[in-house]
Amino acid sequence: MASNSFNFIFLLTLLSPVVGHRGSVDLKQYDPLVVSTWPFIEAVRAAWRAVHAGASALDSVVEGCSTCEQLRCDGTVGPGGSPDENGETTIDALVMDGVTMEVGAVAAMRYVKDGIKAARLVMQHTQHTLLVGEKASEFAISMGLPGPTNLSSSESIEKWTAWKKSSCQPNFRKNVLPQNDCGPYRPNNYLHLSDETCSVIDQSQIPRLPHVGLHSHDTISMAVIDRTGHIAVGTSTNGATFKIPGRVGDGPIAGSSAYAIDEVGACCATGDGDIMMRFLPCYQVVESMRLGMEPKLAAKDAISRITKKFPNFVGAVVALSKTGEHAGACHGWTFRYSVRSPAMEDVEVFTVLP
């Protein structure tokens, strides 16, 4: 009997360190991290304050992107920027939870200024992934967001008026002929058009659209790692200036503008969304990292896949590993992205050359 008691106590002694170690893993604290496209410093600070105080990655992403919307970062995020051909501003936004793989997104949303919060509501209160247009606005308002609101501003209307005076050039149309300077448009081989109703335009003389860039066409795309090690991403944009009404860019498309998998890492993207969404570069970045590629190479690989087909493409991605390693790659412009970690006294901006 004594021998059995001794053996039992000895076994408990051996097991106790193992149980304690497993418990410590469950309670492990990670260093939080915030990464964002462009020097949207106030947005990164807002996300950092939230995650540093213990907020979840998802809540912190919403806080950061919402701040950028309120500040109308560079006129490309939130209300009051990027008028379409009708002079109207609309909003695209997305959130993604790297733990559950849930996504909420809105696209071409009218009358509601809080894009990232509307996307979060889609995730929280529907089994859908993406709501679009005026019906997305109705849903967001029904869930408590302010609206309907005029999303135009004096700046956006002034920009649109000047564009109209320039015969609506340049624009995103191709292979069409306008009945008047600003349309309506018809295919240039449209059988029912006559010389009396359509003036033929030398397509080679139409100016090309300016390069995608700050103040003309851009996105905040943000990734956050919280204290539990979970990852979330979010995006918000008012799209391309003078876009065709109804156009949706890559902002609300999971895998294009942003992507996150808790066990691997995340990606943020910005640039010519009409091209980028054909390649899902952020999905590619995260999958490359899953296969063992380091962030810098994963980012470069994703960009190179695009430039092989579209050498004039303009865009960038930021890769973020589960361990907090980050790197960017770009083509067609000099790209900058922002980072905040516990090792930094404030937000730091990293420059990536093409």
Side-chain angles (χ1 to χ4, degrees):
M1 180 68 68
S3 176
N4 289 339
S5 299
F6 176 82
N7 290 338
F8 179 71
I9 293 171
F10 180 73
L11 181 61
L12 286 178
T13 303
L14 288 177
L15 286 176
S16 58
V18 176
V19 174
H21 177 70
R22 293 176 67 180
S24 66
V25 170
D26 293 339
L27 296 175
K28 181 178 179 181
Q29 292 289 302
Y30 289 78
D31 286 336
L33 185 68
V34 179
V35 175
S36 171
T37 55
W38 302 114
F40 296 148
I41 292 175
E42 291 304 323
V44 174
R45 284 173 176 163
W48 173 256
R49 286 193 295 269
V51 73
H52 188 257
S56 70
L58 193 61
D59 287 342
S60 302
V61 160
V62 172
E63 185 67 24
C65 290
S66 181
T67 297
C68 212
E69 291 170 345
Q70 293 168 23
L71 295 173
R72 296 167 52 194
C73 288
D74 286 318
T76 63
V77 180
S82 300
D84 63 16
E85 286 186 344
N86 293 334
E88 183 178 9
T89 297
T90 55
I91 290 177
D92 299 340
L94 168 147
V95 290
M96 181 175 186
D97 188 333
V99 182
T100 64
M101 304 299 289
E102 289 179 292
V103 173
V106 292
M109 186 174 68
R110 309 169 72 190
Y111 311 134
V112 176
K113 60 183 177 61
D114 300 300
I116 196 72
K117 291 180 180 178
R120 176 71 180 275
L121 289 170
V122 173
M123 177 190 287
Q124 287 179 311
H125 299 296
T126 82
Q127 296 183 40
H128 302 311
T129 293
L130 173 65
L131 297 182
V132 303
E134 197 162 336
K135 294 302 179 181
S137 310
E138 291 179 8
F139 170 79
I141 293 169
S142 74
M143 292 291 103
L145 290 182
T149 302
N150 182 0
L151 300 186
S152 297
S153 65
S154 58
E155 294 88 352
S156 68
I157 295 300
E158 182 179 346
K159 182 184 294 186
W160 176 71
T161 301
W163 178 73
K164 293 281 283 187
K165 290 179 179 178
S166 298
S167 301
C168 299
Q169 297 294 336
N171 60 45
F172 286 93
R173 307 273 179 172
K174 69 177 184 179
N175 302 323
V176 297
L177 297 172
Q179 184 169 323
N180 300 300
D181 285 343
C182 292
Y185 298 89
R186 294 289 187 271
N188 56 13
N189 60 353
Y190 190 64
L191 295 179
H192 300 293
L193 292 179
S194 66
D195 291 339
E196 287 75 29
T197 60
C198 179
S199 57
V200 178
I201 293 178
D202 182 355
Q203 295 286 319
S204 66
Q205 298 304 310
I206 296 178
R208 294 174 62 87
L209 278 168
H211 279 312
V212 173
L214 290 175
H215 313 296
S216 66
H217 177 168
D218 199 23
T219 306
I220 180 172
S221 184
M222 176 179 285
V224 174
I225 300 177
D226 65 25
R227 290 187 178 279
T228 65
H230 295 322
I231 304 175
V233 291
T235 68
S236 184
T237 180
N238 51 41
T241 304
F242 311 131
K243 58 184 175 284
I244 298 170
R247 179 263 189 184
V248 174
D250 74 326
I253 308 302
S256 189
S257 67
Y259 200 67
I261 297 179
D262 222 37
E263 301 82 9
V264 182
C267 169
C268 304
T270 182
D272 188 346
D274 289 296
I275 300 298
M276 298 182 83
M277 66 198 302
R278 303 170 190 176
F279 293 84
L280 297 179
C282 274
Y283 175 82
Q284 183 62 56
V285 165
V286 175
E287 285 304 304
S288 293
M289 291 193 297
R290 184 203 293 275
L291 296 175
M293 195 177 290
E294 64 181 41
K296 184 176 182 178
L297 292 179
K300 287 185 174 181
D301 174 69
I303 291 295
S304 69
R305 291 169 184 259
I306 303 175
T307 57
K308 285 177 183 177
K309 292 288 186 179
F310 297 93
N312 294 323
F313 154 77
V314 178
V317 297
V318 181
L320 173 65
S321 73
K322 172 73 174 181
T323 58
E325 182 182 357
H326 56 83
C330 64
H331 184 81
W333 57 10
T334 297
F335 171 61
R336 294 189 293 167
Y337 69 96
S338 305
V339 179
R340 180 68 163 95
S341 74
M344 301 172 180
E345 293 185 2
D346 198 357
V347 179
E348 295 185 8
V349 177
F350 292 76
T351 298
V352 182
L353 299 177

